[in-house]
Amino acid sequence: MDQLICQVKTSKLLQENLPPTRDNDVKVQVRACALSWIDTKLLSEIKLEKELLPVGREISGVVLEVGRKVTFFQPDDEVVGILPLDSEESGLCEVILVHEHYLVHKPEKVCWAEAAGTVRDGLRAYTALHYLSQASPGKTVLVMDGASPFGTIAIQLAQHRGAKVISTAYSLEDKQYLERLRPPVEGMRQLLVARVIDVSNGKIDVAESCLEETGGLGVDIVLDAGVKQFKAEDESTLKSQLLPHKHDIITLLGVGGHWITTEKNLQLDPPDSHSLFLKGATVSFLNDEIWNLSNIQQGKYLSILEDIMEKLSRNIFRPQLDEPIPLYEAKVTMEIVQKNQARKRQVIQF
């Protein structure tokens, strides 16, 4: 955490030491920067850990200057993007240099905070529901913790694709929020979530509820928010107490189903694998950082970001954002984010 705090303290000073704009660089005046949890273990594993970790990678802003080989942007363009994992710069700087292949145009009607606050969750939702699985009409999608910033966007994307959505809620407030979600069409009273499973009291069986909702067939796509793997597991937080067991996920999966997991250390025993084999089901790991780990994915990546902005401009995506935060509160806010204590997306606005 000290690494992150130091970066927040010094980020504003970095703009004074910006190197000259290189051929493919875009100089951006940052207008908003979203704060997301930093996976320090992942950075260490891929040899990117450093003394100071840049804070805030999702940015929106105005182009000030472009390098001589930049073809997609010109000064005064409004842009949005995600800084790469190996970025030396923090999105909390007022002016930064970004390679043009990490940016797309921001629609004029989309505000700065919404653009920066949606791009990461939108990328994760597309990765899960378009590339790792295919949410489409006739399919049932279970989104765990649907009231989280990521869960909200995933629900909206799945419903837009015509899928039936089931979601879990960790509190009465979350349940009420999910039950109020509606498509962005005036006069349409259809619910975005066909069934909300309130697991806050620990008495509701998620697998049983899903099988009941699907007539015993099971769900086609499960997007988890973590799972319990062992009976004697750490339950020090309320959320960890409410997580489903991995056996519940396997039970509620339908034939040919897809389990998209955020559990990076998932362990499947032979009986678990055999159950998945009998169902012809698949397990995929959701890691949205893959897009920038190989240049071969660059075209798809930029296409996803453009589509996220287009859906945001049409109100198909309506993100879970907290009120914009001034820069001087970035340090305290980042501590909350890094401890996973923020229930809405936190955005710093300049």
Side-chain angles (χ1 to χ4, degrees):
M1 179 58 70
D2 289 340
Q3 293 171 294
L4 309 180
I5 292 171
C6 289
Q7 183 61 52
V8 173
K9 285 180 179 177
T10 60
S11 62
K12 199 168 181 180
L13 301 176
L14 295 178
Q15 60 178 308
E16 300 172 4
N17 304 314
L18 278 180
T21 304
R22 292 164 296 192
D23 287 350
N24 294 103
D25 280 348
V26 178
K27 183 180 285 187
V28 179
Q29 181 179 16
V30 179
R31 294 294 182 85
C33 173
L35 300 179
S36 296
W37 181 77
I38 295 178
D39 190 341
T40 53
K41 186 176 181 182
L42 173 64
L43 291 174
S44 176
E45 289 171 347
I46 60 177
K47 311 302 182 187
L48 288 178
E49 194 173 32
K50 41 193 121 166
E51 186 179 352
L52 295 179
L53 297 176
V55 168
R57 290 172 50 209
E58 302 91 83
I59 63 162
S60 60
V62 179
V63 175
L64 297 177
E65 181 185 335
V66 298
R68 63 186 183 90
K69 291 186 179 179
V70 172
T71 57
F72 297 118
F73 306 102
Q74 56 189 12
D76 297 325
D77 281 352
E78 297 181 353
V79 296
V80 60
I82 302 175
L83 302 182
L85 264 177
D86 60 354
S87 174
E88 296 288 338
E89 301 187 57
S90 164
L92 294 177
C93 296
E94 291 181 351
V95 178
I96 60 172
L97 292 175
V98 190
H99 193 288
E100 66 171 329
H101 289 165
Y102 296 116
L103 298 170
V104 296
H105 288 94
K106 179 188 78 67
E108 189 176 341
K109 65 186 293 186
V110 175
C111 74
W112 302 112
E114 284 192 345
T118 307
V119 65
R120 166 78 64 185
D121 292 319
L123 178 63
R124 297 189 79 210
Y126 264 87
T127 304
L129 299 176
H130 183 73
Y131 288 97
L132 298 180
S133 64
Q134 288 284 334
S136 57
K139 291 191 175 180
T140 303
V141 179
L142 170 63
V143 178
M144 311 297 286
D145 191 16
S148 67
F150 167 56
T152 296
I153 298 297
I155 287 172
Q156 291 165 355
L157 179 60
Q159 198 277 338
H160 178 70
R161 292 286 182 86
K164 175 182 178 180
V165 181
I166 303 171
S167 183
T168 59
Y170 289 160
S171 67
L172 177 60
E173 183 181 5
D174 287 354
K175 180 175 184 287
Q176 292 171 342
Y177 168 77
L178 292 169
E179 290 174 341
R180 289 194 302 267
L181 285 177
R182 296 286 190 281
V185 180
E186 279 192 42
M188 184 176 286
R189 300 187 62 81
Q190 173 192 355
L191 295 171
L192 274 187
V193 183
R195 179 164 180 172
V196 179
I197 304 171
D198 184 357
V199 298
S200 59
N201 59 14
K203 298 178 181 178
I204 303 297
D205 188 311
V206 175
E208 186 179 308
S209 298
C210 289
L211 291 172
E212 179 184 307
E213 185 65 30
T214 58
L217 298 177
V219 303
D220 300 292
I221 301 169
V222 177
L223 183 49
D224 76 31
V227 294
K228 292 179 188 174
Q229 302 195 65
F230 313 104
K231 289 183 178 178
E233 198 159 358
D234 175 40
E235 295 189 353
S236 56
T237 66
L238 177 61
K239 183 175 178 179
S240 62
Q241 295 172 23
L242 302 177
L243 290 175
H245 197 278
K246 61 182 178 181
H247 297 148
D248 295 329
I249 302 293
I250 295 171
T251 299
L252 61 84
L253 264 179
V255 173
H258 301 276
W259 176 8
I260 316 298
T261 184
T262 58
E263 190 62 58
K264 65 181 72 176
N265 297 315
L266 180 68
Q267 296 183 39
L268 295 177
D269 301 319
D272 301 329
S273 298
H274 187 64
S275 296
L276 291 168
F277 166 77
L278 292 176
K279 294 185 177 189
T282 63
V283 179
S284 299
F285 292 87
L286 179 56
N287 176 11
D288 53 280
E289 300 292 358
I290 58 169
W291 295 105
N292 287 322
L293 295 179
S294 170
N295 290 335
I296 200 170
Q297 303 284 1
Q298 204 68 48
K300 290 180 181 178
Y301 173 68
L302 293 177
S303 179
I304 293 172
L305 298 193
E306 288 171 350
D307 209 44
I308 292 167
M309 289 301 110
E310 186 265 340
K311 285 183 169 50
L312 193 55
S313 69
R314 292 167 52 199
N315 285 328
I316 293 169
F317 286 165
R318 285 151 292 147
Q320 267 270 61
L321 302 183
D322 220 333
E323 291 296 319
I325 300 161
L327 181 61
Y328 64 83
E329 292 185 9
K331 174 185 169 183
V332 173
T333 305
M334 190 61 210
E335 289 178 347
I336 295 171
V337 170
Q338 197 64 15
K339 292 175 183 176
N340 284 316
Q341 294 175 349
R343 286 299 289 166
K344 294 184 178 181
R345 181 65 63 213
Q346 306 296 305
V347 181
I348 306 298
Q349 187 146 349
F350 292 83

